[in-house]
Amino acid sequence: MAVYKFRVTFEEYDDVHRDIEIRSTQTFEDLNNCIQEAVKFDNKHDASFYMSDDNWMKGQEITLNKNPNKDVPLMKKSRLCDFIIDPHQKIYYVYDFENNWTFFIELIKIVVDDDKQAVYPRCIRATLDRKST
């Protein structure tokens, strides 16, 4: 089974990031929850992922909660492997649309899961500034 390693970066603070590992068969909801925990957010607001191109242009939306006006896949029903088409896939993530917390997520590595004891998803690195890298 493949494990995706993502780098999650705040849009406004590119020197602050989290590296997250997650199985390819896990859902966007799993990724959402891991990001929430890694950045110490309360996970009380709506959120959406947008599959993106190399220029961070928003593409297919995957949302946390169903919008009756849109036919958009739900995070809890959407496996990562069904949407990842590029080994360097970029994903735009917005949390709390009122405050507009925006993150850039980039797939930086795909590895074979050879650690059967590992629990995924997991944050494996948290960087607060360039001095701590």
Side-chain angles (χ1 to χ4, degrees):
M1 180 176 307
V3 171
Y4 295 148
K5 182 177 179 182
F6 289 106
R7 173 140 308 149
V8 179
T9 308
F10 284 86
E11 181 181 42
E12 299 295 322
Y13 307 98
D14 61 356
D15 52 350
V16 177
H17 68 267
R18 305 292 186 269
D19 288 350
I20 292 175
E21 290 182 336
I22 185 168
R23 286 192 176 102
S24 61
T25 55
Q26 288 183 278
T27 67
F28 279 90
E29 185 174 52
D30 296 322
L31 180 58
N32 174 72
N33 294 339
C34 189
I35 293 169
Q36 292 294 305
E37 185 177 317
V39 298
K40 308 291 189 239
F41 280 175
D42 58 16
N43 209 5
K44 292 182 180 180
H45 301 281
D46 204 5
S48 284
F49 290 97
Y50 300 88
M51 303 311 292
S52 301
D53 63 14
D54 286 338
N55 297 314
W56 298 103
M57 297 298 292
K58 290 180 183 178
Q60 171 70 58
E61 180 181 7
I62 300 108
T63 189
L64 183 62
N65 296 306
K66 189 70 174 167
N67 181 335
N69 299 325
K70 292 184 184 178
D71 186 24
V72 178
L74 290 174
M75 287 184 199
K76 67 182 175 184
K77 295 181 178 181
S78 301
R79 296 183 320 159
L80 294 165
C81 62
D82 295 333
F83 290 84
I84 302 295
I85 56 171
D86 181 342
H88 300 286
Q89 182 71 56
K90 293 182 178 178
I91 304 169
Y92 196 86
Y93 172 66
V94 179
Y95 172 72
D96 184 359
F97 292 98
E98 187 174 313
N99 290 310
N100 203 37
W101 286 99
T102 305
F103 300 84
F104 295 134
I105 303 171
E106 187 168 3
L107 180 59
I108 57 174
K109 195 173 194 179
I110 302 172
V111 297
V112 175
D113 180 14
D114 57 2
D115 183 357
K116 303 303 179 205
Q117 302 298 320
V119 176
Y120 297 101
R122 63 186 182 180
C123 180
I124 59 167
R125 184 176 185 178
T127 303
L128 302 177
D129 59 48
R130 292 187 182 136
K131 294 175 185 151
S132 62
T133 56

